[in-house]
């Protein structure tokens, strides 16, 4: 056989073994792949999530003032009862503050305070965040809106 026939046979032979990679080469491949996945996830997170530094103490001790929290932008009709949301207080009397609150009612619900109990659609809310309040009120929540509990 000539050298050309050998080359053709070797090229079509499926049993040829590739040279083994060194441990260093394998480690380099793992590191490059990990870095690529990390960069992809970081880019995706930067596109989907927005960081906020909490300036109001409404969720302490669960979330402390100065903590950075990450959130996905949402509208009032895409949240559910119990969700924790971030919003900006734009009261002209105070500087803008990033606040963190819990959704206690959504569009169509009625929230009511009477007899030191908080009611949602006529049922007592038995949650730790629902502190007794002697003030009586009744609030129907409009469609596409939500009601936030804040201390």
């Amino acid at each position: 056989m000539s050298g050309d026939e050998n080359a053709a046979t070797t090229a079509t032979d499926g049993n040829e073994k590739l040279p083994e990679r060194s441990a260093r080469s394998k480690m380099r491949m793992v590191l490059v792949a990990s870095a690529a996945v990390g960069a992809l996830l970081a880019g995706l997170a930067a596109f989907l999530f927005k960081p906020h530094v909490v300036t109001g103490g409404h969720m302490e001790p669960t979330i402390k003032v100065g903590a950075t929290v990450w959130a996905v932008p949402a509208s009032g009709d895409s949240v559910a009862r119990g969700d924790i949301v971030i919003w900006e207080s734009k009261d002209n009397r105070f500087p803008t503050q990033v606040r963190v609150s819990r959704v206690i009612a959504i569009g169509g619900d009625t929230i009511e305070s009477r007899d030191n109990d908080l009611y949602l659609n006529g049922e007592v809310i038995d949650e730790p965040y629902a502190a007794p309040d002697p003030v009586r009120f009744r609030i129907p929540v409009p469609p596409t809106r939500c009601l936030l509990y804040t201390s």
Side-chain angles (χ1 to χ4, degrees), residues 5-145:
E5 287 175 346
N6 251 348
T9 304
T10 304
T12 59
D13 186 3
N15 294 328
E16 178 183 315
K17 288 189 175 182
L18 296 174
E20 294 245 354
R21 295 188 188 271
S22 69
R24 176 178 261 172
S25 176
K26 288 178 185 176
M27 181 60 76
R28 187 176 304 129
M29 284 181 57
V30 168
L31 289 175
V32 168
S34 297
V37 169
L40 178 65
L41 291 176
L44 187 60
F47 178 72
L48 294 176
F49 300 98
K50 183 178 176 190
H52 299 273
V53 176
V54 177
T55 54
H58 302 295
M59 293 293 290
E60 284 188 328
T62 305
I63 301 173
K64 304 252 187 239
V65 172
T68 300
V69 293
W70 292 80
V72 177
S75 62
D77 60 349
S78 65
V79 297
R81 284 182 218 100
D83 284 356
I84 294 178
V85 296
I86 298 168
W87 55 284
E88 289 182 354
S89 169
K90 295 187 179 182
D91 188 328
N92 291 335
R93 298 172 294 168
F94 304 103
T96 299
Q97 291 188 335
V98 174
R99 308 238 178 179
V100 180
S101 300
R102 184 179 307 277
V103 175
I104 61 168
I106 58 175
D109 287 345
T110 298
I111 197 84
E112 186 176 2
S113 174
R114 59 183 151 88
D115 307 323
N116 281 333
D117 285 322
L118 192 60
Y119 292 81
L120 173 66
N121 300 325
E123 302 284 328
V124 174
I125 296 178
D126 185 25
E127 292 288 341
Y129 60 81
D133 190 344
V135 177
R136 293 179 62 101
F137 62 82
R138 185 175 191 279
I139 303 171
V141 182
T144 72
R145 299 292 181 166

